[in-house]
Amino acid sequence: MENSIMTGLPPFSLRLMHGDFPRLERLLERVTVRAVVLRGDELLLVHSSVNGDFMFPGGGVEAGESHQDALARELHEECGAELLVTGGLLGETREYRSAREPDYDAYCIRSLYYLCRVGEDRVPPRLQAYEERLGFKAGWHALEEALHNNQWLLGGHCPQWTHRETRVLAQLYRWHKDGALQAL
């Protein structure tokens, strides 16, 4: 696997509030990484046949794990793909929810999106039980179609993560349309 390279784009920063929080002083934060794998006008995305939404491959960074190692693990588990190159950080989202733990005001999921390149060969993914229940399937999807699909889903009942992924898809679509976002 090659070392990280930079993209030259100014990173985006998005904040999503799922509820009202009078204070955000005592936060319980979970860091996740998400892979943005671009091939022409297509992205390697995970589609849920249950929810109908598209999401970026990724998940939580485990204790002692680098972001690059977490990206490699998640791409292998969810897409059966080998990470070849980790590009620069495209941006981050912060999602705030009510904390279940009494010592915290809110729970924050901080998702970091990296431009990545994967190998052409794929092996069967190793999905977790909840991912299998949600009908996760990785594949190449047109960026504009994935964006419009998720935007349509926002009009009804959808998982909270669909809001996050839709906002990121919209940012990537703007960059790609302007020629600022290119595959590695």
Side-chain angles (χ1 to χ4, degrees):
M1 182 166 27
E2 297 177 33
N3 290 334
S4 296
I5 59 174
M6 297 307 295
T7 64
L9 291 170
F12 62 80
S13 179
L14 303 171
R15 183 174 164 161
L16 296 97
M17 307 295 280
H18 301 292
D20 267 338
F21 304 97
R23 297 179 357 194
L24 289 175
E25 296 163 1
R26 300 174 304 153
L27 284 178
L28 178 59
E29 185 177 80
R30 177 176 184 232
V31 176
T32 69
V33 291
R34 312 262 173 223
V36 177
V37 184
L38 186 65
R39 180 179 76 182
D41 292 337
E42 297 180 318
L43 288 169
L44 180 60
L45 296 169
V46 176
H47 179 259
S48 168
S49 63
V50 172
N51 297 322
D53 63 330
F54 290 98
M55 63 205 90
F56 295 91
V61 178
E62 296 176 358
E65 189 175 41
S66 71
H67 289 190
Q68 187 165 334
D69 289 342
L71 286 164
R73 177 178 50 76
E74 291 290 345
L75 279 163
H76 186 71
E77 289 174 1
E78 293 181 358
C79 302
E82 178 188 6
L83 176 64
L84 298 179
V85 178
T86 304
L89 176 68
L90 293 174
E92 72 174 53
T93 62
R94 290 177 187 263
E95 291 178 88
Y96 297 91
R97 299 182 175 132
S98 296
R100 294 184 182 135
E101 295 79 2
D103 294 337
Y104 294 95
D105 298 324
Y107 175 64
C108 175
I109 299 174
R110 182 175 172 224
S111 297
L112 303 161
Y113 290 78
Y114 290 92
L115 190 59
C116 298
R117 185 172 72 216
V118 297
E120 291 298 317
D121 297 333
R122 303 239 316 258
V123 298
R126 293 179 294 153
L127 299 176
Q128 295 179 24
Y130 84 92
E131 294 169 331
E132 287 182 11
R133 281 192 307 274
L134 290 174
F136 279 18
K137 184 176 181 187
W140 293 100
H141 300 277
L143 171 56
E144 186 173 7
E145 289 176 21
L147 171 60
H148 292 311
N149 177 84
N150 277 15
Q151 287 173 329
W152 182 81
L153 290 172
L154 293 179
H157 179 71
C158 62
Q160 285 182 344
W161 66 66
T162 307
H163 295 269
R164 175 193 71 222
E165 300 293 68
T166 304
R167 290 193 54 194
V168 173
L169 282 167
Q171 178 63 57
L172 297 179
Y173 178 71
R174 284 190 295 274
W175 281 345
H176 189 61
K177 190 173 148 188
D178 293 342
L181 179 65
Q182 302 290 326
L184 290 177

